[in-house]
């Protein structure tokens, strides 16, 4: 791509966030990746400054894809193929803590995995190449810390009392059903602060593709741990989704310009850049050419077509 048309930032919209505001649509693309087609056409849009961003709806147009069926490998691979370096993901979450009220925003730094092996979680699955990506810090911490002040400022100016919570742990469950009360209490005892159905395998795949990844989570409910209240329902969630989505669009519009500049400079993405170099076990004559060609789509530095 020419310098003036770089797309360095990819935004993944979650439940309720199906588009971004104040952007001019340039085109829609649907890259056919070795892992299939992405959830939705990817909108390449321009901010008033000319900065471009790629937007994808995680659950597809009209929210037609359940969390377990999201083609996360195709989504991440498609963004990487467009030149994206930083992925800013949004997700609705349930709160497991009294202080994280519906409507609040959260920047998590840790993940507990409660998915059940249904979702393909690696680009290397079934291939003749083995890789063990480092995942002790599942988000790009420099990226997350970069976001803290900027998201906090937007909430101060436009949030009408909504708070930002940082350094929290998100638990990712399978779904599509919500938690039982016993599970919700167990997750609290494990130290989890919020819960969703989407952050995995998305974060794992972003790491394998050497993309910086951060999640802006928006609380919609208190899950099912409160003894004297009804368990969470979809109706409860949808009541809060619309307001959260509108504020999320304001956050995105505010930070994308600066994020593009930071991604181009690279200082917030150093944890992702080159992270797979020592994760890929020594390749040998047993590496199939077709597998190397497939992996070259996301890791051209290490594999050739």
């Amino acid at each position: 791509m020419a310098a003036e048309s770089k797309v360095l930032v990819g935004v993944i919209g979650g439940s309720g966030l199906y588009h971004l505001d104040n952007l001019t649509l340039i085109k829609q693309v649907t890259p056919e990746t070795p892992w299939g087609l992405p959830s939705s056409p990817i909108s390449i849009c321009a901010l008033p400054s000319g900065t471009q961003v790629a937007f994808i709806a995680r659950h597809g147009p009209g929210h037609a894809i359940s969390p377990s069926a999201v083609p996360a490998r195709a989504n991440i691979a498609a963004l990487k193929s467009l030149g994206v370096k930083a992925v800013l993901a949004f997700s609705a979450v349930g709160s497991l803590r009294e202080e994280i009220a519906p409507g609040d925003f959260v920047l998590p730094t840790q993940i507990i995995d409660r998915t059940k092996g249904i979702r393909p979680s690696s680009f290397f699955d079934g291939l003749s190449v083995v890789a063990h990506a480092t995942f002790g810090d599942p988000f790009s911490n420099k990226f997350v810390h970069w976001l803290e002040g900027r998201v906090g400022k937007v909430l101060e100016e436009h949030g009408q009392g909504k708070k930002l919570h940082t350094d929290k742990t998100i638990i990712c469950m399978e779904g599509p059903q919500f938690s039982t009360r016993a599970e919700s209490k167990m997750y609290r005892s494990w130290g989890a602060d919020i819960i969703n159905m989407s952050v995995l395998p998305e974060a794992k795949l972003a790491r394998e593709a050497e993309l910086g990844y951060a999640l802006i989570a928006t609380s919609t409910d208190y899950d099912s741990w409160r003894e004297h209240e009804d368990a969470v329902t979809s109706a409860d969630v949808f009541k809060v989704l619309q307001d959260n989505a509108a504020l999320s669009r304001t956050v995105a519009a505010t930070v994308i310009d600066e994020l593009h500049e930071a991604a181009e400079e690279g200082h917030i993405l150093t944890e992702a850049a080159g992270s797979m170099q020592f994760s890929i076990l020594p390749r040998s004559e047993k590496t199939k050419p077709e597998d190397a060609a497939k992996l070259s789509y996301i890791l051209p530095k290490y594999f050739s077509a």
Side-chain angles (χ1 to χ4, degrees), residues 187-245:
Y187 299 151
R188 280 167 48 83
S189 74
W190 287 357
D193 302 295
I194 53 177
I195 184 167
N196 86 340
M197 303 176 189
S198 300
V199 71
L200 294 175
E202 204 168 83
K204 291 182 176 181
L205 296 166
R207 179 61 51 84
E208 287 189 347
E210 296 191 339
L211 297 178
Y213 180 88
L215 180 74
I216 296 178
T218 55
S219 173
T220 58
D221 58 86
Y222 277 116
D223 204 52
S224 299
W225 55 272
R226 283 174 150 193
E227 285 284 1
H228 303 296
E229 292 189 6
D230 292 339
V232 61
T233 68
S234 291
D236 298 328
V237 171
F238 288 127
K239 286 177 185 176
V240 185
L241 268 181
Q242 191 169 2
D243 284 344
N244 282 1

Side-chain angles (χ1 to χ4, degrees), residues 58-59 66-68 70 91-94 115 119 170-179 195-201 223:
R58 182 186 290 116
H59 297 286
S66 71
S68 300
V70 169
S91 176
V93 300
T115 59
R119 316 172 187 199
I170 183 169
I171 191 159
C172 187
M173 62 176 287
E174 194 59 63
Q177 299 84 3
F178 293 124
S179 307
I195 184 167
N196 86 340
M197 303 176 189
S198 300
V199 71
L200 294 175
D223 204 52

Side-chain angles (χ1 to χ4, degrees), residues 8 21 90 110 125 132 190 220 294:
L8 301 181
D21 290 340
F90 288 84
Q110 279 296 325
D125 283 350
H132 297 284
W190 287 357
T220 58
K294 193 173 186 178

Side-chain angles (χ1 to χ4, degrees), residues 239-262:
K239 286 177 185 176
V240 185
L241 268 181
Q242 191 169 2
D243 284 344
N244 282 1
L247 191 51
S248 293
R249 287 193 290 271
T250 301
V251 168
T254 303
V255 305
I256 286 172
D257 255 333
E258 282 189 83
L259 178 54
H260 177 93
E261 293 175 10

Side-chain angles (χ1 to χ4, degrees), residues 13-295:
S15 299
L17 184 61
Y18 306 117
H19 67 276
L20 298 177
D21 290 340
N22 302 319
L23 298 178
T24 301
L25 178 65
I26 297 173
K27 61 181 177 180
Q28 286 191 323
V29 296
T30 309
E32 187 167 354
T33 80
W35 296 273
L37 297 173
S39 296
S40 71
I42 299 176
S43 298
I44 308 297
C45 304
L47 274 70
S49 65
T51 294
Q52 294 189 15
V53 58
F55 177 84
I56 185 170
R58 182 186 290 116
H59 297 286
H63 201 107
I65 304 173
S66 71
S68 300
V70 169
R73 291 190 294 186
N75 290 350
I76 295 297
L79 290 174
K80 179 69 182 278
S81 76
L82 296 173
V84 165
K85 293 184 177 181
V87 175
L88 180 61
F90 288 84
S91 176
V93 300
S95 170
L96 298 170
R97 301 294 164 191
E98 191 70 43
E99 65 271 19
I100 303 176
D104 283 358
F105 279 51
V106 186
L107 289 171
T109 51
Q110 279 296 325
I111 303 173
I112 297 172
D113 188 355
R114 276 280 290 170
T115 59
K116 299 175 180 177
I118 297 170
R119 316 172 187 199
S121 61
S122 173
F123 288 112
F124 295 84
D125 283 350
L127 303 186
S128 56
V129 182
V130 176
H132 297 284
T134 300
F135 206 58
D137 294 304
F139 300 97
S140 299
N141 285 338
K142 291 180 181 179
F143 184 4
V144 174
H145 296 323
W146 182 92
L147 285 168
E148 287 178 4
R150 291 161 176 83
V151 175
K153 184 177 180 182
V154 174
L155 294 186
E156 286 177 11
E157 295 176 356
H158 305 284
Q160 298 180 327
K162 294 178 175 65
K163 297 178 181 179
L164 174 66
H165 305 267
T166 61
D167 197 26
K168 299 300 182 183
T169 295
I170 183 169
I171 191 159
C172 187
M173 62 176 287
E174 194 59 63
Q177 299 84 3
F178 293 124
S179 307
T180 67
R181 291 190 189 276
E183 288 170 334
S184 194
K185 292 175 186 176
M186 178 178 70
Y187 299 151
R188 280 167 48 83
S189 74
W190 287 357
D193 302 295
I194 53 177
I195 184 167
N196 86 340
M197 303 176 189
S198 300
V199 71
L200 294 175
E202 204 168 83
K204 291 182 176 181
L205 296 166
R207 179 61 51 84
E208 287 189 347
E210 296 191 339
L211 297 178
Y213 180 88
L215 180 74
I216 296 178
T218 55
S219 173
T220 58
D221 58 86
Y222 277 116
D223 204 52
S224 299
W225 55 272
R226 283 174 150 193
E227 285 284 1
H228 303 296
E229 292 189 6
D230 292 339
V232 61
T233 68
S234 291
D236 298 328
V237 171
F238 288 127
K239 286 177 185 176
V240 185
L241 268 181
Q242 191 169 2
D243 284 344
N244 282 1
L247 191 51
S248 293
R249 287 193 290 271
T250 301
V251 168
T254 303
V255 305
I256 286 172
D257 255 333
E258 282 189 83
L259 178 54
H260 177 93
E261 293 175 10
E264 192 160 38
E265 193 277 334
H267 70 281
I268 66 169
L269 305 177
T270 54
E271 296 148 306
S275 62
M276 291 298 291
Q277 182 177 0
F278 301 110
S279 297
I280 303 166
L281 294 188
R283 281 147 279 176
S284 69
E285 67 281 356
K286 294 186 181 297
T287 299
K288 297 177 181 177
E290 60 269 29
D291 293 346
K294 193 173 186 178
L295 292 168

